[in-house]
Amino acid sequence: MIDSAKIELRNLRVKDYEELKISMIKSYHAMPDEYWSKGEIKTLVNKFPEGQLCIVIDNKIAGCALSIIVDYDKFDDNHSYEEILGGENFSTHTRNGNVLYGIDVFIHPEFRGMRLGRRLYEARKELCEHLNLKAIVFGGRIPNYSKYASELTPKKYIDKVKLQEIHDPVLSFQLSNDFHVKKVIKGYLQGDHESKEYATLMEWNNIYYTKPQKLVNTTKTVVRLGLVQWQMRLFKDYDALVSQIEFFVDAVSNYQSDFILFPELFNAPLMAQFNDLSEPEAIRGLSGYTERLLETFREFAINYNINIITGSMPQVIGEHMYNVGYLCRRDGSYERYEKLHITPAEESAWGMKGGNKLETFDTDCGKIGVLICYDVEFPEVSRLLAEEGMNILFVPFMTDTQNGYSRVKICAQSRAVENECYVAIAGSVGNLPKVNNMDIQYAQSAVLTPSDFAFPVNGIKAEATPNTESTLLVDVDLDLLKELHNFGSVRNMKDRRKDLYSLKKKK
């Protein structure tokens, strides 16, 4: 029956999942519970449809090969399987990468012996050439090693497989398909007892690869940050506020800064005109300026060639009031971020609600995250952003007392250490005696770093003078984060005990 069946090699579809699941369970006989979820397959198909290949025979999924594109320069050869995946949303996948990374290949037991695996590998090679990627890389299991582990090191085992003195169903096949062993990785795939959790880092080089020309808009490695320590003062009207905004954007952009960060609720002085209203009504009055300010910031981002993080502003969505801000990129595009955790005072005085939007943002300087004030005091939130590849975390804040400021700063420093990233915090200073619930401000804006030899000993790259209107201009080197991640004195992101605990973002 199989001999006369039609064999179809095509891209995987989400509607194939039920058949795919059956095939996976049959194929993963040693780890029957370790199959891909429908959500994961859907994400892969949506993000990189041409990279998900399958072979169909008689309406059955006979084999499958899944892959992503990664910027391999950001990884060390000693990575784990979980690190290369980037979580269930595959945050490491990028169209700007240079390597096709294979994350799974399997053949249903019923169809083994038909050289279907070779077809999948050849299709991957064609895809690699078509996309002009440098190589195909993946971590290969060595399932027969457990039989020889008491007498052979992984290196000696691999040497004997190469000499065909030992047959390994996975490694022997990969070697016969022109892949070579780049190195041995320890602890690659947790729970792979057959391989003793060892893996071979396999590589196939694309001889037709042409290195792309370096373009002017490639991702930068040294990024200049501009922070605004904003003086709360009364403005006679909206245009006066905009003039002050433009002054700072102009000044910071003159130093060729890549980003400018404004504080939380920096536009609060405009609430003075609503002092005859209750506090909830006054904040809703202030929200009427948010759309106008967004368009102003977008215009400034383009005109001054700078990425603007607008701090935050109140916004009414439906019946509820939220605290939101915008990343306005210098190419004219923009994204909204939301304050997730609302303080008791914000809830009681203004009736604010916590938002639900949590994500990293791609920029011409890499991935960034933005958390508004109180949000930085919840370590789970920034860890989720770090798992998506965040290098710089921006924290616009507003604190009235030194106690409140200390909470923000101390927590921000912790986030920099535990997530191996830079954290930029910017707040407001001064007084607003004629604006209810906004009387006093205390701030000392700063750029905070991890704590290791390549960084300042106190974890503070630079900080402004407390309670004085000013700007802070700071260069941060993203390559230092990569070095820290792979070779630091401690490696917080790598050394997490995922066998004991895990953290997931809810859909």
Side-chain angles (χ1 to χ4, degrees), residues 79-302:
H79 59 264
S80 69
Y81 187 60
E82 287 190 358
E83 287 173 338
I84 206 74
L85 288 183
E88 60 186 12
N89 64 346
F90 306 97
S91 63
T92 52
H93 171 74
T94 170
R95 290 283 181 172
N96 296 321
N98 55 5
V99 161
L100 184 70
Y101 199 101
I103 61 174
D104 203 356
V105 172
F106 61 86
I107 302 296
H108 190 297
E110 181 183 343
F111 302 101
R112 289 175 185 168
M114 299 175 63
R115 297 180 175 267
L116 300 182
R118 186 177 297 275
R119 292 194 191 204
L120 291 171
Y121 273 34
E122 290 301 318
R124 262 190 186 166
K125 292 174 186 177
E126 290 178 10
L127 179 62
C128 182
E129 292 173 358
H130 174 71
L131 297 176
N132 190 38
L133 297 174
K134 190 175 182 179
I136 300 174
V137 176
F138 56 80
R141 299 178 63 235
I142 42 175
N144 274 1
Y145 178 60
S146 57
K147 300 175 183 177
Y148 300 88
S150 61
E151 55 189 278
L152 296 175
T153 64
K155 181 181 183 303
K156 289 183 178 179
Y157 175 81
I158 292 168
D159 289 340
K160 286 186 174 291
V161 173
K162 287 180 178 178
L163 295 171
Q164 300 185 24
E165 295 175 8
I166 294 176
H167 176 77
D168 186 282
V170 176
L171 179 57
S172 297
F173 172 73
Q174 291 163 349
L175 293 171
S176 69
N177 278 274
D178 302 323
F179 285 85
H180 66 271
V181 179
K182 193 175 182 183
K183 72 177 280 80
V184 177
I185 307 175
K186 185 178 181 180
Y188 181 73
L189 179 62
Q190 291 185 5
D192 184 5
H193 303 299
E194 289 184 325
S195 306
K196 295 293 183 180
E197 294 192 356
Y198 285 99
T200 54
L201 186 64
M202 307 299 293
E203 183 178 56
W204 175 85
N205 292 305
N206 177 13
I207 63 173
Y208 301 108
Y209 171 71
T210 302
K211 188 175 182 179
Q213 285 185 306
K214 189 172 180 65
L215 303 175
V216 294
N217 61 347
T218 52
T219 301
K220 302 179 68 170
T221 57
V222 176
V223 179
R224 181 161 295 173
L225 311 180
L227 282 57
V228 177
Q229 189 154 287
W230 175 269
Q231 173 78 41
M232 287 292 194
R233 56 166 68 83
L234 294 177
F235 294 98
K236 65 176 183 179
D237 55 26
Y238 173 80
D239 291 338
L241 175 81
V242 169
S243 294
Q244 188 67 19
I245 293 170
E246 186 170 17
F247 164 77
F248 280 116
V249 174
D250 185 14
V252 171
S253 68
N254 281 340
Y255 290 94
Q256 286 77 51
S257 289
D258 297 293
F259 291 95
I260 182 170
L261 171 64
F262 285 86
E264 178 184 21
L265 297 177
F266 71 94
N267 63 336
L270 295 178
M271 288 178 69
Q273 63 187 294
F274 304 114
N275 262 356
D276 59 322
L277 304 176
S278 67
E279 290 178 356
E281 291 174 323
I283 197 78
R284 284 178 176 264
L286 182 62
S287 71
Y289 290 105
T290 298
E291 290 298 324
R292 290 174 65 185
L293 281 170
L294 169 59
E295 292 308 311
T296 297
F297 276 119
R298 291 183 67 193
E299 179 183 335
F300 288 165
I302 296 170

